[in-house]
Amino acid sequence: MSESEMALTKSEAMKSYIWLQTVDGSIQQVEEEVAMFCPMICRERLQTSMGSSKNYAISLPERVNPAVLSLILDYCRFHQVQGRSNKERKTFDEKFIKIETKRLCELTSAADNLQLKPLVDLTSRALARKIEGKTPEEIRETFHLPDDLTEEEKLEPLRNTTDDPRIRLLNRLYARKRKELKERQKLKDTLDVEEEKVDDRSVDDLLSFINGNDSDLKEGVKGRPNAEGSSHCELTTKNKKKNKRRKDRPEVPSSNSHKDVTKDEAMVATNFSKKIEIQEPFEDFDMYDELDPAMKEELDREVEDFARRLNSDWPERMKEIFSLSQDRSSIPSSLNGNGSFGRCAGNGM
Amino acid sequence: MEGTEMEERYRKLGIRDALSRHCDYSHACTDLNSILRCAYIKLPKNLQALVFQDTLAAFRLLPQTSSGISSAKLLIRAAEAVLPKQRRVLALSEFKQAAVAHKRGSKAPQYTQGIVQLPHDLLVEIFHSLDLTSLVTVSRVSWAWNSAAKDGALWKLLYSVFFGKSNSCFQNDEPLISKSFENVCALELKDSAYPNWREIFKINFLARPLYSAATRIFCGGCSEVIWINRFTCNNKHQCSNNLGSPKMQPILSQKVVSYLTDDKLWPTLLSDSDNDNSDNSDDESSPWLPRLWTYPNYT
């Protein structure tokens, strides 16, 4: 190896150089035979006879920045020497592609621009090896790609081929928001685990309270306390989840240690949001998967009922709830006559 | 005599190479699992050593993916159940090393920021060397990659690799599940000047569930066992026997053990009588149902 290197240095004095200019303006001086290994440079040299001096440097295409250019020149320098065995070339190649992914991508596109086919093949195969066997999420992490498919990626055939950038951006935002909501839900789930029992009870009371005492309600409500009571657990969890998927949800107070009835009421109340639309069906798919169809329909009906009722009487009901809860928190003893409230107050304090 | 034949068959299974390919790592681990649990005791000594070496290699070659680590966990459980004490200790230490490295790798901070946009043509070029599973996965990554993964020429090439006339991966004279598939296919091909090759491929592929569930095929011509995931656009099977269209048989992962241990199975395979005398009792009509809870008991 050292002998050939010495021979190289001896003949360097006789070599001719080519001047290459990258897109950022910096000019490099490269041995001619090394640079001629690239077909594009070769062609430029022969056709336009540029590159013989500093002023007339061959300008390289856009994607070739100086760092990548030096890598490419290393590759050319190694491979243009005739006397290397296949095994040597192979080992060089394998070491050559052990670079970080971003650099590898840059190298691939630069090699493609310079039409250096063997290097393109080498880097493409290396990238393919980095892709295979991974899930889409892992691939996105490795290559820093945006998740701009969302609901389309769930459906197998991609029908519309419009490349509207606004749609792409919107999908990206949806994906990000969904991730945030999922994380928030995970956080909530870990905190909510201890409090499930309390929540159920207070919601039960809340519902009976709404049904029993609120005079603004329509008639249908009073006749259905049982149905609501029986399914209140599912409704609670269901609506909690629904809550988490709403994008314009106000931040649920994270002070879960408080087991306050007010907080629970506020939470349930906000669940039936200002405008409950049974919108974005694909968001609700995951939720519905856990309930069987019969239950599903019943819950659907009930949710819609609640939504209708709450939407119509929202301001009055909110006032009622908050005023009563304030009374309750300040004078717990006065409500002891009513067993349920006493229970609630006991749990709340 | 028997021992060398079994070794030969084991070598043909190509587990070691598959372990170094990310797309086949899980399948290879599953095969090792079934071999360990079902056949290890009955194997001759040198083959047991080979299997053990491959198990260690599986841990050393653990890829940095989530499916990889779960396959490795299943494998160590099988190894712990079956291997004698000394080998078990070695396997366990290898596994622990690999698991720690995996965790460290997944926590490594992403110090490279920024997105590198690869042009469409370059992406298609890269996808030429991907196997089928990865190709479908890749179309779910982002919009740009999705449009590159649907490239017609790519799927046309893949179609010829899998269903083409000669040297194809799958037998093309196997009757399709229903005539309707064939009709749709023919329609698709005749209808437009630009047939949707991806759809055609999909129809053909889904119409043959036996092949879709298999991990390897057995080439009747050169009697080689080849991993299906090695078929990419760039890599077709050149049958060394040069027969017109050699008869290909899919090998499901459940059949691996019977392939290894049963001497009489493979010569008769080509004559279409699949006498399954092992306990791998699964329905031929639904081969893709995985055995979730139990491994067969060889008594």
Side-chain angles (χ1 to χ4, degrees), chain A residues 16 24 37 63 93 101 109 124 145 169 172 176 194 245 270 282 313 316 325:
Chain A
S16 60
D24 62 346
F37 200 66
R63 286 216 181 81
D93 286 344
T101 315
S109 44
S124 302
L145 293 168
L169 184 61
R172 266 187 245 196
R176 214 183 304 156
E194 313 107 34
R245 304 213 178 236
T270 52
F282 54 87
D313 305 327
E316 294 90 336
S325 62

Side-chain angles (χ1 to χ4, degrees), chain A residues 181-292:
Chain A
L181 289 169
K182 271 197 199 141
E183 284 170 12
R184 226 182 283 159
Q185 180 190 8
K186 270 192 215 153
L187 206 63
K188 279 231 93 201
D189 281 343
T190 54
L191 293 171
D192 271 345
V193 167
E194 313 107 34
E195 302 167 4
E196 267 174 357
K197 286 188 206 152
V198 181
D199 280 350
D200 287 345
R201 200 171 295 220
S202 57
V203 169
D204 198 2
D205 298 328
L206 178 66
L207 290 173
S208 55
F209 158 67
I210 289 177
N211 297 328
N213 296 343
D214 203 342
S215 55
D216 284 354
L217 282 176
K218 300 202 176 101
E219 289 75 20
V221 183
K222 284 192 182 170
R224 301 176 52 190
N226 292 330
E228 287 148 3
S230 62
S231 59
H232 72 278
C233 309
E234 294 96 337
L235 261 179
T236 315
T237 37
K238 183 174 144 104
N239 287 317
K240 270 193 191 152
K241 284 186 189 170
K242 214 173 178 118
N243 178 34
K244 277 143 190 80
R245 304 213 178 236
R246 294 280 166 250
K247 293 181 190 126
D248 45 354
R249 204 47 34 246
E251 192 80 29
V252 175
S254 57
S255 50
N256 285 309
S257 53
H258 286 297
K259 306 191 190 188
D260 226 347
V261 183
T262 48
K263 292 263 194 305
D264 294 331
E265 286 171 340
M267 207 155 62
V268 174
T270 52
N271 285 345
F272 309 110
S273 70
K274 299 180 177 134
K275 282 223 177 88
I276 291 190
E277 300 132 21
I278 316 295
Q279 55 171 333
E280 298 163 298
F282 54 87
E283 274 193 334
D284 294 339
F285 278 162
D286 308 21
M287 206 157 45
Y288 281 125
D289 281 347
E290 310 166 50
L291 314 164
D292 58 8

Side-chain angles (χ1 to χ4, degrees), chain A residues 98-165:
Chain A
K98 281 203 176 124
I99 50 183
E100 58 192 25
T101 315
K102 181 172 174 226
R103 192 51 72 83
L104 196 56
C105 289
E106 287 177 359
L107 187 58
T108 318
S109 44
D112 184 50
N113 272 1
L114 292 174
Q115 294 159 0
L116 197 51
K117 191 90 176 43
L119 186 56
V120 174
D121 286 340
L122 177 66
T123 44
S124 302
R125 263 181 284 123
L127 281 173
R129 248 174 278 145
K130 282 204 192 225
I131 293 173
E132 68 183 17
K134 290 202 167 116
T135 66
E137 188 54 53
E138 289 166 352
I139 297 180
R140 261 179 246 131
E141 266 178 62
T142 316
F143 287 85
H144 302 289
L145 293 168
D147 179 10
D148 54 0
L149 275 176
T150 57
E151 80 270 13
E152 297 174 73
E153 77 189 75
K154 304 235 162 76
L155 312 166
E156 228 275 291
L158 203 66
R159 289 291 168 205
N160 59 333
T161 48
T162 53
D163 186 12
D164 194 351

Side-chain angles (χ1 to χ4, degrees), chain B residues 23-290:
Chain B
C23 51
D24 282 328
Y25 182 84
S26 309
H27 296 307
C29 279
T30 319
D31 291 341
L32 269 179
N33 262 343
S34 35
I35 291 180
L36 277 175
R37 282 191 192 265
C38 308
Y40 183 82
I41 306 173
K42 307 202 301 185
L43 296 176
K45 290 282 178 188
N46 40 4
L47 198 50
Q48 282 186 343
L50 270 179
V51 170
F52 175 64
Q53 286 302 323
D54 281 350
T55 316
L56 290 183
F59 296 134
R60 266 181 239 130
L61 292 168
L62 183 64
Q64 197 65 38
T65 59
S66 52
S67 59
I69 187 70
S70 40
S71 312
K73 283 184 185 163
L74 288 173
L75 186 59
I76 188 63
R77 261 190 255 153
E80 280 184 338
V82 167
L83 291 175
K85 180 166 183 195
Q86 212 174 13
R87 286 180 172 173
R88 182 168 52 205
V89 165
L90 278 173
L92 205 55
S93 69
E94 274 295 336
F95 172 73
K96 282 186 184 155
Q97 272 183 12
V100 164
H102 181 93
K103 239 190 180 165
R104 218 180 296 139
S106 57
K107 282 195 189 143
Q110 298 286 345
Y111 50 82
T112 51
Q113 289 303 321
I115 306 166
V116 180
Q117 302 278 14
L118 289 169
H120 187 275
D121 297 328
L122 204 50
L123 279 177
V124 176
E125 184 63 39
I126 293 176
F127 296 164
H128 265 78
S129 28
L130 282 183
D131 58 288
L132 183 61
T133 324
S134 303
L135 191 52
V136 175
T137 318
V138 132
S139 67
R140 291 177 50 197
V141 170
S142 76
W143 196 90
W145 285 43
N146 180 288
S147 82
K150 290 186 309 175
D151 187 65
L154 192 69
W155 285 97
K156 186 171 178 185
L157 206 51
L158 209 59
Y159 181 86
S160 73
V161 168
F162 276 67
F163 308 111
K165 276 300 165 185
S166 61
N167 272 337
S168 67
C169 175
F170 294 160
Q171 264 176 295
N172 57 347
D173 50 333
E174 181 198 74
L176 294 180
I177 273 205
S178 74
K179 266 294 175 185
S180 62
F181 277 131
E182 232 176 77
N183 290 340
V184 173
C185 245
L187 219 72
E188 186 74 50
L189 276 167
K190 281 187 219 147
D191 228 2
S192 58
Y194 303 102
N196 186 347
W197 281 103
R198 187 166 182 264
E199 277 307 306
I200 295 174
F201 184 93
K202 194 165 106 171
I203 292 169
N204 271 298
F205 188 75
L206 294 177
R208 300 178 161 92
L210 203 65
Y211 288 92
S212 330
T215 51
R216 296 180 178 88
I217 58 159
F218 175 78
C219 173
C222 52
S223 71
E224 281 291 328
V225 177
I226 313 154
W227 284 87
I228 286 185
N229 274 342
R230 296 206 57 198
F231 287 102
T232 67
C233 284
N234 287 340
N235 186 16
K236 295 175 70 152
H237 171 57
Q238 299 302 326
C239 189
S240 47
N241 243 353
N242 276 332
L243 293 178
S245 49
K247 188 158 171 153
M248 305 282 196
Q249 281 274 355
I251 303 182
L252 306 171
S253 47
Q254 292 99 316
K255 294 285 198 306
V256 165
V257 176
S258 57
Y259 166 76
L260 188 59
T261 54
D262 194 349
D263 289 325
K264 303 184 216 68
L265 189 60
W266 285 97
T268 58
L269 194 67
L270 294 177
S271 56
D272 256 346
S273 59
D274 201 15
N275 48 350
D276 198 296
N277 59 352
S278 63
D279 296 357
N280 300 358
S281 50
D282 50 342
D283 247 346
E284 275 309 316
S285 58
S286 57
W288 59 80
L289 290 179

